[in-house]
Amino acid sequence: MKTTVFEQACEAAELIHSHVPNLIPRIGIVLGSGLGAVADAVTEAVRISYSEIPHFPQSTIVGHSGQMVLGRVDKVPVAVMQGRVHYYEGYSPEQVTFPVRVLERLGVETLILTNAAGGIRPGLAVGQLMLIADHINLLGFNPLTGPNEPQFGVKRGAGLRFFDMTEAYDRRLREMARRAGQEQNLRLEEGVYLAVSGPSFETPAEIRAFQRLGADLVGMSTVPETIVARHMGLRVLGVSCVTNLAAGLSATPLSHEEVFETGRRVEQQLARLIASVVSELAVEMDSEAKP
Ligand code: HPA
């Protein structure tokens, strides 16, 4: 008999939990291309390869090593996903978002999604980080198509068939990230992320069209995970690294190497930013825990 996504996610979460029986992660962090450094900030780290986790999709892309790192950042229990899978790899929308389902089953309430993106808004600099304020889904699918899976969001009153996406990227989390950025003298603007399926980069005409649609950044990930996370009632923070200027906006052709190299150059900055957001969240969680 075919098991449901819910049953599969529970099974995957159980395997992970058996490796870290005393840790219930509150924050899930998904790391994009070349942005793996955050995982080094995790203390008491336990690493589990995706290949060990039942039903978990395996990344096929060089530079997206696939492992989950569980432990603590500034005392807060976290689950960090080093590597994610994409729709362009041939995975179904359900498979692409399965890891986020598993994070929810593990206990995660806040999800931090990072990605590499092409910069569309004029004036953006290669290597700068941006907060995602909103998104435009041009992937051509919604990962929630099909039977509703209400079990995931039940305890937060979520899991509805139709739900609001007005503030998909949590305002308070963005404020926290902006404060953390200021402390680190980071230029941290907000922008609209437009998702395409890839794997080809865009044409200059597509980028001009996306600019008119109101997009500041373009990328091939994050949006499916955000939609599924919001369906489950998780709070989402999205951070993009502008790894290149989008097609037609610079003199050089786009390449995966450029994307990856830029990621590598700023991953420490991103790691510091995320660590301070987690610290701010720790303060908030502490005050919630007190009567
Ligand atoms: N386009 C789409 N996805 C991307 C880009 C881009 O320019 N850069 C990094 N991911």
Side-chain angles (χ1 to χ4, degrees):
M1 199 183 78
K2 189 180 178 295
T3 51
T4 63
V5 173
F6 186 73
E7 286 162 348
Q8 292 182 355
C10 290
E11 214 183 304
E14 264 165 40
L15 179 284
I16 296 164
H17 192 65
S18 73
H19 284 255
V20 283
N22 298 319
L23 190 100
I24 297 179
R26 303 283 303 272
I27 302 174
I29 304 170
V30 180
L31 303 177
S33 304
L35 300 171
V38 179
D40 303 334
V42 177
T43 55
E44 303 167 42
V46 172
R47 297 182 171 78
I48 307 172
S49 163
Y50 293 166
S51 59
E52 275 185 66
I53 309 173
H55 315 293
F56 224 74
Q58 314 286 309
S59 178
T60 61
I61 309 302
V62 178
H64 292 255
S65 71
Q67 59 176 0
M68 192 177 282
V69 183
L70 294 116
R72 291 173 192 274
V73 170
D74 197 15
K75 299 198 198 115
V76 184
V78 298
V80 181
M81 283 183 49
Q82 216 171 8
R84 60 144 74 83
V85 301
H86 304 79
Y87 184 59
Y88 60 71
E89 292 174 74
Y91 288 108
S92 67
E94 202 174 85
Q95 288 172 308
V96 169
T97 53
F98 183 74
V100 174
R101 300 290 200 187
V102 175
L103 290 175
E104 192 272 349
R105 286 291 85 201
L106 284 171
V108 161
E109 291 157 352
T110 301
L111 185 65
I112 302 179
L113 299 170
T114 69
N115 62 45
I120 297 181
R121 187 198 291 172
L124 292 183
V126 169
Q128 83 175 79
L129 299 176
M130 267 185 106
L131 299 176
I132 303 179
D134 205 346
H135 75 221
I136 299 173
N137 180 8
L138 288 191
L139 285 163
F141 67 84
N142 185 304
L144 298 174
T145 307
N148 190 31
E149 301 258 4
Q151 301 101 311
F152 285 100
V154 160
K155 68 176 183 202
R156 281 172 295 274
L160 303 176
R161 171 84 294 189
F162 304 105
F163 61 96
D164 185 58
M165 286 285 282
T166 310
E167 256 191 44
Y169 299 88
D170 190 84
R171 186 177 296 276
R172 292 211 22 239
L173 292 178
R174 277 186 276 143
E175 276 163 17
M176 278 183 197
R178 266 204 307 275
R179 271 200 302 277
Q182 269 161 9
E183 281 162 21
Q184 293 167 25
N185 287 324
L186 272 187
R187 173 182 168 199
L188 205 52
E189 294 165 45
E190 296 200 345
V192 173
Y193 176 92
L194 182 145
V196 289
S197 71
S200 58
F201 288 116
E202 302 67 41
T203 62
E206 285 167 339
I207 294 302
R208 287 193 298 276
F210 295 165
Q211 198 167 15
R212 290 191 179 96
L213 289 178
D216 300 304
L217 300 157
V218 61
M220 304 175 191
S221 67
T222 304
V223 163
E225 288 113 312
T226 298
I227 294 172
V228 167
R230 292 304 299 143
H231 175 252
M232 300 188 293
L234 306 187
R235 295 196 294 178
V236 177
L237 176 69
V239 186
S240 287
C241 167
V242 179
T243 52
N244 56 282
L245 297 186
L249 301 179
S250 85
T252 50
L254 271 58
S255 71
H256 178 62
E257 288 69 34
E258 181 190 8
V259 168
F260 195 70
E261 285 311 313
T262 312
R264 269 285 135 86
R265 191 152 58 76
V266 300
E267 65 177 343
Q268 299 299 339
Q269 246 178 32
L270 179 68
R272 279 196 296 276
L273 178 71
I274 290 182
S276 27
V277 172
V278 171
S279 302
E280 285 214 37
L281 279 166
V283 175
E284 184 189 85
M285 286 169 184
D286 265 357
S287 60
E288 272 169 14
K290 292 190 183 106

